[in-house]
Amino acid sequence: MRLGGWTRRIGVTAGVLAVLGSVLASPEVSAAEAEPGQPVLPHVVVGKAGPLGAWQAERAVRQAGGTVVAAYPRIGVVVAYSARDDFAATVRKARGVTEVGATRTTKLPLDYFKPRRDLRYTGPGSPTSAQVPPEGTAWDVPALGLDEAHRETTGSRQVVVGVLDTGVDDTHPDLRHAVDTRKSVSCVSGWADRSPGGWRPTLDGHGTHVAGTIAAARNGSGVVGVAPGVRLAAVKLAERDDTETAESMICGFMWAAEHNFRITNNSYRATPWRYHCPGQADQSAIRTAVGRAVAHAQSRGVLVVASGGNGALDLHNRTVDTESPADGTPARREISNDCIRLPHELPGVLGAGAVDEKLVKARFSNHGIGPIGLAAPGVRVWSTVPNGEYAAYSGTSMAAPHVSGVAALLASRHPFWRGDRLAAELQERAMSLPCPEFYDPNGDGKPDATCVPGEDRNSFYGTGLTHAGAALTR
C-alpha cells in the first residue's frame, strides 16, 4: 500500500479474497463481513479532500463494520462495501466524514463484484457488417473534413485517449494498433483491476464502437477513425451500457489522471440515478465524489468529453425523472435544474449533442445552452464492434467520440495545451450551425423542440459542428 499513491486497493478477508479474485492486504473486519455469501451494498464515503480525509473515512468505515475496497487519498474519497442496513447512517456521524452515499438501491452478492475471467465476448454480433461503406466513404468523414485534417496529421502516439465505457476489443483488426494495453484497466468492481484482458468487453460492444470512431486504423478496409494515429486506453466501467456506477467512474477518472491521458470519452449515463439531486443524501455524496475525481483529472490537464443524452430533453427545463432508480423499479419523481447528469454536467466537462446526415439536430438529442458545447455526427454512425465486425449505431454516445477524436488531433498538434485550452479551441474552431427556421424531425408539420439562440452559440449545437479540418487549419 502506498499512502501517497493515486489509490490503494484494499481487501477484506481470506474468504472474500477468493470471491474478489485478487491478492490484497487484509484489515480487520466484522464476522458478518467475513461471510462471502452475504449480500453487500457499495458506498462512496467522502472526507475532507486530501490524505487525512481519506484516512478518517477509512477508519469510520472499519469502525462501522464495513470493508474498504479502494481509497483515493488525493481527493479524500473511499469506496466501501457493507452488509449492514445502518452503515451509511452510522458512518455519516463519524468524525471527518462529510458525506456517505450508497451507489445501488439493492444489495448484491459479493460474486457480482468478482473480476471477470471469462474474457471471451458473448454479446450480440453485427448483422449489418456486410453493409459497411468502403473505408472513408461514411457520411461522417466529409462532415468532419477528415481527409483535409489527415493531410495535416492523423494524430500522435504521444496522445492517449481514454475510452471509459464497456470495454474495448483490442483484437479487432481496426483497433489492435491503437489500444495501449499497458494503460488499460477494468474499474467495474470499483477498484483498478489490472488482470490481463480485463479491459475487454464481454456483454456489450458499445465501448468498441466508441473506440473505432476515435481511432480505427486508416488501412484501406473497414472504417477510419477521426484520429487513427493516437493511442487508446480501454478503461472498462461496466459490462453493459448505461450501468456505470459512481465507484467505477471515480476509479476511471483517477486512473486517467495518474496515467497521463490527454482526453477521456464518456458516452454513458450513471446508474442507479439518472439525475443527481441536492438534498438527497446518496445522490449528493455520489455527485461530490465523482465531481472530485473529475476535477482531479482536469487539474492534471485531462479534457473530459461526455455524451449529452438521448432523451430529446431541454436541459434547462427538466421537471420529471421517470428512469430512476435504474437498478430497480423506476418511479416517477419531480426534479429541478439543480439535478444533474453525471459526468456530463459537472464543471468543465464538454458535452456533445448529435446531428444527422443533414447536419440537423437528431430527434433524440438533448439540448440546452451550456450542457451542449458542440455538435457532432450521431446518427447511423459506422464503427467497430467486437469479433472483427462493424455496425451502425445512433446516439449522443456516437457524437462524443467524434469530439474526442478531433480533440486528439488538436492535442497532437499542440502537445502543451491542457484540457481547458483544448475545449476552448474546439468550440472556437467549430463550424457554425444556426438554429433551424422550423424544426420538424418527425415530418408531421409540428415543431418538436425550440432552438434557443445565444450570443455565440445556441441550444441545439453549442458553438457549432466539431470539424477536424477547421480545427487543424485555422
Side-chain angles (χ1 to χ4, degrees):
M1 294 189 296
R2 294 181 296 112
L3 279 172
W6 73 280
T7 182
R8 287 180 293 137
R9 189 180 66 188
I10 301 174
V12 286
T13 67
V16 180
L17 289 179
V19 178
L20 290 177
S22 54
V23 180
L24 309 171
S26 299
E28 292 183 6
V29 295
S30 69
E33 290 288 322
E35 298 177 9
Q38 191 167 19
V40 297
L41 202 60
H43 296 76
V44 288
V45 181
V46 182
K48 295 179 181 179
L52 177 60
W55 178 81
Q56 290 177 317
E58 287 186 49
R59 183 178 63 174
V61 167
R62 293 193 179 98
Q63 289 177 342
T67 301
V68 177
V69 295
Y72 300 93
R74 295 186 186 279
I75 61 172
V77 171
V78 164
V79 175
Y81 297 163
S82 177
R84 290 178 50 173
D85 294 333
D86 63 347
F87 175 78
T90 300
V91 177
R92 286 182 186 123
K93 299 174 184 177
R95 180 180 180 182
V97 172
T98 58
E99 293 185 88
V100 181
T103 66
R104 308 287 200 289
T105 61
T106 56
K107 292 180 182 178
L108 295 165
L110 273 171
D111 277 336
Y112 181 89
F113 303 100
K114 180 181 178 181
R116 297 295 296 262
R117 305 301 184 197
D118 51 335
L119 300 178
R120 183 175 59 86
Y121 177 72
T122 59
S126 171
T128 56
S129 278
Q131 303 169 23
V132 60
E135 184 185 81
T137 63
W139 75 271
D140 56 334
V141 172
L144 269 66
L146 290 190
D147 289 341
E148 177 186 3
H150 290 175
R151 286 193 289 270
E152 300 291 329
T153 182
T154 57
S156 167
R157 296 291 290 176
Q158 299 302 311
V159 172
V160 178
V161 181
V163 179
L164 277 59
D165 214 289
T166 61
V168 176
D169 181 4
D170 58 296
T171 69
H172 195 290
D174 257 346
L175 293 174
R176 61 168 60 108
H177 77 290
V179 178
D180 186 341
T181 59
R182 297 167 302 176
K183 291 183 178 289
S184 298
V185 70
S186 172
C187 284
V188 171
S189 298
W191 45 269
D193 174 16
R194 306 189 196 193
S195 300
W199 58 83
R200 292 184 182 134
T202 55
L203 301 175
D204 195 319
H206 188 274
T208 303
H209 195 279
V210 165
T213 296
I214 298 170
R218 188 155 202 159
N219 56 5
S221 64
V223 297
V224 60
V226 179
V230 305
R231 284 183 292 160
L232 298 177
V235 182
K236 185 175 179 178
L237 303 190
E239 297 292 353
R240 295 188 184 277
D241 183 33
D242 288 344
T243 62
E244 285 81 356
T245 61
E247 64 268 26
S248 69
M249 286 188 279
I250 294 165
C251 171
F253 287 116
M254 296 301 289
W255 182 269
E258 302 304 327
H259 288 82
N260 301 313
F261 292 12
R262 295 294 303 278
I263 299 145
T264 66
N265 188 89
N266 303 269
S267 292
Y268 55 82
R269 296 182 297 169
T271 194
W273 307 105
R274 299 310 195 194
Y275 295 90
H276 293 76
C277 301
Q280 303 291 326
D282 291 332
Q283 297 164 47
S284 177
I286 291 170
R287 181 169 168 168
T288 298
V290 175
R292 285 190 187 179
V294 169
H296 178 64
Q298 291 168 333
S299 75
R300 300 292 295 266
V302 179
L303 169 63
V304 179
V305 178
S307 55
N310 301 334
L313 301 175
D314 177 357
L315 294 176
H316 286 306
N317 188 31
R318 66 195 83 185
T319 58
V320 176
D321 173 20
T322 60
E323 299 179 292
S324 302
D327 66 339
T329 302
R332 179 185 175 90
R333 62 170 181 156
E334 294 184 359
I335 62 172
S336 70
N337 291 338
D338 292 329
C339 303
I340 66 170
R341 301 177 72 248
L342 292 179
H344 164 216
E345 293 183 279
L346 289 168
V349 174
L350 184 56
V355 296
D356 60 20
E357 294 96 329
K358 296 180 180 179
L359 303 186
V360 175
K361 185 184 88 71
R363 178 189 55 79
F364 54 77
S365 186
N366 289 346
H367 50 100
I369 295 178
I372 302 301
L374 284 169
V379 176
R380 290 175 286 277
V381 174
W382 281 95
S383 189
T384 49
V385 291
N387 295 333
E389 298 188 19
Y390 302 88
Y393 290 176
S394 297
T396 56
S397 283
M398 286 61 253
H402 283 99
V403 174
S404 294
V406 177
L409 292 177
L410 202 55
S412 298
R413 291 288 297 272
H414 301 280
F416 299 109
W417 285 4
R418 294 171 60 83
D420 53 356
R421 176 72 183 275
L422 287 173
E425 294 288 345
L426 284 168
Q427 293 179 90
E428 175 67 25
R429 302 179 189 206
M431 187 178 77
S432 178
L433 288 179
C435 283
E437 292 184 6
F438 186 73
Y439 181 67
D440 179 23
N442 299 317
D444 58 6
K446 300 177 181 179
D448 188 70
T450 301
C451 181
V452 179
E455 183 177 349
D456 60 351
R457 63 197 66 209
N458 61 56
S459 61
F460 275 15
Y461 312 117
T463 62
L465 178 74
T466 187
H467 195 275
L472 294 181
T473 58
R474 283 187 183 178

